[in-house]
Amino acid sequence: MHNINPLFLTDGYKLGHKFQYPEGTELIYSGWTPRGSRIPDIDKVVVLGAQYFVKRYLIEMFNENFFNKPKMEVVAIYKLYVEKYLGMPIKVDHIEALHDLGYLPIVLKSLPEGVSSPLRVPQVTVYNTLPEFFWLTNYIETLMSSVLWIFSTSATIAKRFRSTLLHHAMKTDEDNAWFVDWQGHDFSMRGMAPDAGIFSAVGHAASFNGSDTFPVMYFLSKYYNAGVIEDLIVGSVPATEHSVMSAGGQETEIQTFERLMDVYPTGILSV
């Protein structure tokens, strides 16, 4: 979906809201707020993902797939699909005006990423800076919400895991509590769509170093200016999988282990 006009990335019910607000509406100020938890004793949620959302979607994606494409082309395609979807003719003057403007006239504010904020406190707020684009604030809410909740939810869960692991580590072997950094290992891309897996793994990396979601390194470097080469932010160890361990057959299992020890004579190997 990275090559799609980002104005398609919204709920169908938002398509007509521009015409539904009261006449004279000039400013919409909205907040993104974690409202509750299914786990009774979780009363705070980790703030995460806003900087990526701004850089990737509001800047890169809008430039690549909307502003930098011919106006008549993107507007015609938008009009075609929306009219078919809603079964009625629509006005697209506001879409043309946005393209003519050449940028998104909105301000997005976020609490510091990585902190935990109480439930029912807005983590991110958005408002329009030009009165004629009041409709844009909540138009992008769908996209913002669908991106941020994965980061935030995974980061909050990972923080709970870390707290639990650290509690027991301090009770049993305080001198080796450093191992907690690696104890909760991440495999978010096993069963999740690539983008969702990366978002989830970034949330996990807010509390742990151990991760088998390799693209997290590039993601954190590109969108968060993290020194992933200079510092140890996420990492793993050489590891096999079922296909490697069964490739030689049952009769040569000993030889399989011997070969692996030749390949990795020192250090850690996960089998």
Side-chain angles (χ1 to χ4, degrees):
M1 300 295 284
H2 283 277
N3 293 323
I4 195 174
N5 176 355
L7 290 177
F8 278 78
L9 301 179
T10 193
D11 290 296
Y13 61 81
K14 292 182 182 285
L15 296 171
H17 288 182
K18 193 269 184 193
F19 310 103
Q20 298 172 18
Y21 281 102
E23 186 175 351
T25 300
E26 294 186 347
L27 176 68
I28 300 293
Y29 199 120
S30 294
W32 189 79
T33 306
R35 292 181 291 185
S37 169
R38 291 192 178 101
I39 303 175
D41 59 337
I42 287 187
D43 57 2
K44 291 184 177 181
V45 175
V46 176
V47 180
L48 197 62
Q51 181 164 301
Y52 165 75
F53 172 71
V54 170
K55 287 184 175 181
R56 176 63 193 129
Y57 289 96
L58 300 189
I59 298 175
E60 290 180 0
M61 201 169 186
F62 264 93
N63 283 338
E64 293 166 5
N65 301 317
F66 183 69
F67 293 119
N68 291 344
K69 288 187 176 294
K71 180 175 72 171
M72 289 301 100
E73 175 186 322
V74 294
V75 173
I77 294 173
Y78 180 87
K79 179 178 174 65
L80 175 68
Y81 276 87
V82 174
E83 288 187 342
K84 180 65 176 179
Y85 180 74
L86 295 178
M88 59 180 290
I90 64 159
K91 296 179 180 180
V92 291
D93 296 354
H94 59 304
I95 305 299
E96 293 183 6
L98 180 61
H99 194 282
D100 290 339
L101 184 66
Y103 68 94
L104 297 179
I106 58 173
V107 170
L108 185 146
K109 297 181 180 181
S110 172
L111 294 178
E113 295 196 47
V115 305
S116 294
S117 68
L119 291 172
R120 296 177 293 281
V121 170
Q123 293 189 347
V124 176
T125 61
V126 185
Y127 63 91
N128 59 292
T129 59
L130 296 176
E132 62 268 36
F133 295 102
F134 65 88
W135 58 272
L136 191 58
T137 298
N138 279 344
Y139 193 102
I140 65 167
E141 180 270 336
T142 303
L143 180 57
M144 182 175 71
S145 180
S146 66
V147 171
L148 294 185
W149 80 265
I150 304 178
F151 287 98
S152 183
T153 300
S154 290
T156 302
I157 293 171
K159 187 173 183 178
R160 169 55 62 94
F161 283 157
R162 181 179 180 85
S163 176
T164 300
L165 293 170
L166 188 60
H167 170 75
H168 291 285
M170 296 301 287
K171 289 176 63 177
T172 56
D173 190 2
E174 183 175 340
D175 292 337
N176 286 306
W178 61 267
F179 183 72
V180 170
D181 291 343
W182 303 92
Q183 196 171 6
H185 204 76
D186 174 72
F187 291 89
S188 287
M189 291 188 77
R190 305 304 303 171
M192 300 180 75
D195 281 2
I198 295 171
F199 299 169
S200 176
V202 170
H204 186 88
S207 286
F208 294 101
N209 292 124
S211 177
D212 256 59
T213 309
F214 176 55
V216 165
M217 288 187 68
Y218 179 79
F219 181 100
L220 290 174
S221 175
K222 178 176 176 62
Y223 293 108
Y224 282 87
N225 307 317
V228 296
I229 305 302
E230 299 83 1
D231 300 314
L232 179 56
I233 296 176
V234 292
S236 189
V237 297
T240 68
E241 65 176 10
H242 289 85
S243 67
V244 172
M245 299 311 297
S246 61
Q250 185 173 354
E251 293 75 16
T252 60
E253 186 173 18
I254 294 298
Q255 286 83 354
T256 296
F257 278 92
E258 290 175 343
R259 183 178 69 256
L260 289 171
M261 286 189 287
D262 286 338
V263 175
Y264 301 101
T266 62
I268 297 174
L269 172 66
S270 175
V271 174

